[in-house]
Amino acid sequence: MAKGEGAESGSAAGLLPTGILQAGERPVQVKESKKKNQLSICNKLCYAVGGTPYQVTGCALGFFLQIYLLDVAQVDPFSASIILFVGRAWDAITDPLVGFCISKSPWTRLGRLMPWIIFSTPLAIIAYFLIWFVPDFQQGQTLWYLLFYCLFETLVTCFHVPYSALTMFISTEQSERDSATAYRMTVEVLGTVLGTAIQGQIVGQAHTPCVQDANASTVALEGVNRTQSATSLRETQNAYLLAAGVIASIYVICAVILTLGVREQREPYETQQAKPMPFFRGLRLVMSHGPYIKLIAGFLFTSLAFMNLLLAIMFSATVTIPIWQWFLTRFGKKMAVYIGISSAVPFLILVALMESNLIVTYVVAVAAGVSVAAAFLLPWSMLPDVIDDFHLKQPHIHGTEPIFFSFYVFFTKFASGVSLGISTLSLDFTGYQTRGCSQPARVKFTLKMLVTMAPIVLILIGLLLFKLYPIDEEKRRQNKKALQALREEASSSGCSDTDSTELARIL
């Protein structure tokens, strides 16, 4: 009789979380697990610094590449538009492609993600530098810039997608991942400002004067060309090369700090599931996971709302990201979404109703920066919660983290492209005058609508979509406990695949 009871208890111990049967041992195990997965401030800073290369290079290319192609490399406008359009389209396509390749990558001594970051960095630096180099030949310039622009976007994606997915592998503790994400977002906003400032200061002399009359004759245009800056074209080209060298150095330094300061950790229960999963099956599972789709949809609209706002916003966002990190830990992430993103609406209405005023503009920019800080931080903080929820519902599916992050980046870039396209077409339809010192009244009205009413509508749509997002603080706590039990069971000796399957079913 006693023997039978002991056998039954032993079998149950292999199926249930250790806290149910061994309550006295669980607090010690949980405490040791938390200590093991706790990140130091140095670790978090090293991780955060890794987000700088993508932001610095992205801002430099986004703000200055079009000017560089037209005024410095002297590529004709049609070819320049082809380069920019194809480059952006290819940049979006590479995210899921790189996510596919990473999901097929094996674990190495450095991890599964770190090798991509390490080996893509030197090649990305070369490609980035050659984007800002003017070749001596004229015939194949379009192909030159198109080739190296697309090559760089591919290589920087090989850096950024695994870096984004690294959030799931720096710690298994939700609070530590959230804290590291707050550090990362703060540094990335600073990187945005830094990239714009470095490129702008070094190449600031590359300035094209405006044309006073849009109907000016060819003689007037020639006069404008003669009154351009005394700096020679060659010196301007060298200024762009110098800026590229400075930014490339920042890229390398940040990559080295990330590599040396962050250790990639593997989930204990993943080591028991060595069977690889087909990419398209993983993609189908990811895209059918309800919380992920609702998170993506909500932030797609709120991202569109903030695409047209500028530098003061970034300074304000940098200061307020730590505040939002405290707020989400105190009141929850969904509450932070509602309050943080909607806080910009009253100020946008103020801009729409008032005449143009410099003081009001700066006040609105700072207020919008508070909201942008929430929009920067929260999606990257909530995405790991979605992946944790997915792991509990699909316990034997692993390697999907790059798919989640790569498609989130893809949709973010999609939002950026849609915003750019809509704003450009709107200005074109209202009669925007290229290089004109003044614009028609309808252009000014269109600009006001693009930066006020359009963001308000998009924010409201995004917040309505967030009402459907199912992972609240209670759900997060439940998922955390279930994952902890799963990790402890996987780490314990003698845990068979059958036991793990039954444990996942029970959870």
Side-chain angles (χ1 to χ4, degrees):
M1 184 75 173
K3 183 177 180 180
E5 290 176 356
E8 186 176 353
S9 299
S11 176
L15 297 176
L16 297 175
T18 55
I20 296 177
L21 298 175
Q22 300 174 354
E25 296 178 12
R26 182 177 174 86
V28 177
Q29 292 176 351
V30 172
K31 186 175 181 180
E32 290 177 354
S33 176
K34 285 187 175 182
K35 185 176 181 180
K36 179 181 177 182
N37 291 290
Q38 191 171 5
L39 299 173
S40 66
I41 294 178
C42 181
N43 292 140
K44 294 174 185 177
L45 287 173
C46 290
Y47 169 72
V49 165
T52 305
Y54 181 77
Q55 298 298 331
V56 171
T57 56
C59 282
L61 290 169
F63 285 114
F64 294 95
L65 183 59
Q66 184 180 40
I67 299 172
Y68 168 80
L69 291 174
L70 294 173
D71 295 345
V72 181
Q74 297 182 341
V75 177
D76 65 273
F78 177 77
S79 298
S81 64
I82 292 296
I83 293 168
L84 295 172
F85 175 77
V86 174
R88 284 180 175 270
W90 178 250
D91 182 26
I93 293 171
T94 54
D95 292 300
L97 290 177
V98 171
F100 167 75
C101 295
I102 294 174
S103 68
K104 295 296 184 181
S105 300
W107 278 84
T108 66
R109 292 177 59 187
L110 298 173
R112 186 173 64 185
L113 305 174
M114 278 297 185
W116 287 84
I117 294 172
I118 294 170
F119 293 112
S120 66
T121 295
L123 298 175
I125 291 306
I126 295 172
Y128 181 78
F129 190 80
L130 291 175
I131 291 174
W132 305 103
F133 176 77
V134 180
D136 293 333
F137 49 85
Q138 293 288 330
Q139 190 67 28
Q141 272 195 345
T142 301
L143 182 61
W144 170 281
Y145 290 114
L146 183 61
L147 172 64
F148 287 110
Y149 186 28
C150 291
L151 180 60
F152 172 74
E153 294 295 351
T154 303
L155 293 168
V156 80
T157 300
C158 291
F159 182 102
H160 186 62
V161 169
Y163 169 73
S164 299
L166 191 61
T167 307
M168 296 300 300
F169 298 98
I170 56 176
S171 176
T172 57
E173 284 293 322
Q174 292 179 354
S175 59
E176 291 299 305
R177 293 195 306 236
D178 291 344
S179 178
T181 300
Y183 278 78
R184 172 193 167 188
M185 290 299 106
T186 302
V187 173
E188 285 197 2
V189 174
L190 287 173
T192 302
V193 177
L194 184 64
T196 307
I198 290 175
Q199 191 85 4
Q201 287 297 316
I202 295 178
V203 304
Q205 68 269 29
H207 173 67
T208 304
C210 62
V211 178
Q212 296 292 341
D213 184 0
N215 299 318
S217 63
T218 304
V219 175
L221 292 175
E222 291 176 355
V224 168
N225 290 332
R226 286 195 299 269
T227 59
Q228 287 185 352
S229 174
T231 305
S232 67
L233 182 60
R234 174 57 61 185
E235 289 174 339
T236 304
Q237 293 171 357
N238 290 339
Y240 274 94
L241 286 177
L242 176 60
V246 173
I247 290 177
S249 300
I250 294 174
Y251 194 120
V252 172
I253 292 171
C254 293
V256 170
I257 293 174
L258 172 66
T259 304
L260 296 179
V262 177
R263 184 173 65 88
E264 188 176 347
Q265 302 180 28
R266 193 175 187 179
E267 284 282 9
Y269 58 81
E270 186 178 332
T271 59
Q272 301 174 357
Q273 306 156 7
K275 185 179 179 181
M277 178 192 57
F279 173 79
F280 289 104
R281 184 190 171 204
L283 178 60
R284 186 175 67 254
L285 290 172
V286 167
M287 290 304 172
S288 61
H289 190 56
Y292 182 64
I293 298 301
K294 292 164 186 173
L295 181 71
I296 290 291
F299 278 112
L300 178 64
F301 284 95
T302 55
S303 296
L304 282 169
F306 293 112
M307 288 295 177
N308 293 322
L309 303 175
L310 298 173
L311 192 61
I313 294 176
M314 294 304 170
F315 283 112
S316 177
T318 303
V319 174
T320 52
I321 280 178
I323 299 175
W324 285 117
Q325 170 62 19
W326 169 83
F327 188 94
L328 67 87
T329 57
R330 184 76 170 80
F331 300 102
K333 296 180 181 181
K334 289 191 73 170
M335 182 65 68
V337 169
Y338 294 136
I339 295 179
I341 295 178
S342 62
S343 63
V345 172
F347 297 95
L348 294 174
I349 295 174
L350 179 65
V351 172
L353 297 178
M354 292 187 62
E355 292 296 325
S356 178
N357 183 287
L358 183 62
I359 296 176
V360 173
T361 301
Y362 275 104
V363 170
V364 171
V366 172
V370 175
S371 189
V372 168
F376 259 91
L377 172 64
L378 289 168
W380 295 105
S381 180
M382 296 167 76
L383 189 53
D385 299 337
V386 172
I387 299 174
D388 285 342
D389 186 72
F390 178 83
H391 283 160
L392 285 173
K393 293 178 180 177
Q394 305 287 344
H396 288 291
I397 303 298
H398 63 90
T400 55
E401 293 86 0
I403 300 176
F404 276 99
F405 282 94
S406 63
F407 272 88
Y408 179 77
V409 174
F410 168 79
F411 285 118
T412 302
K413 292 177 180 178
F414 173 77
S416 175
V418 169
S419 173
L420 181 64
I422 291 175
S423 60
T424 304
L425 287 174
S426 300
L427 293 176
D428 183 54
F429 289 150
T430 54
Y432 177 79
Q433 297 176 1
T434 304
R435 294 175 62 192
C437 290
S438 61
Q439 299 293 340
R442 59 182 179 274
V443 173
K444 297 178 181 179
F445 176 78
T446 301
L447 284 172
K448 179 175 282 191
M449 292 299 102
L450 286 173
V451 299
T452 56
M453 298 310 299
I456 291 172
V457 172
L458 293 168
I459 286 173
L460 294 177
I461 293 173
L463 293 178
L464 287 174
L465 290 170
F466 276 120
K467 289 289 292 182
L468 304 175
Y469 181 70
I471 304 177
D472 54 15
E473 289 307 298
E474 180 62 27
K475 180 69 172 176
R476 286 183 70 230
R477 284 191 290 269
Q478 293 175 0
N479 287 351
K480 181 180 179 180
K481 292 178 181 178
L483 281 171
Q484 183 62 37
L486 190 61
R487 292 183 186 113
E488 290 173 3
E489 185 67 22
S491 300
S492 64
S493 59
C495 179
S496 65
D497 291 340
T498 303
D499 291 342
S500 297
T501 303
E502 184 64 17
L503 174 64
R505 185 188 66 76
I506 292 171
L507 291 173

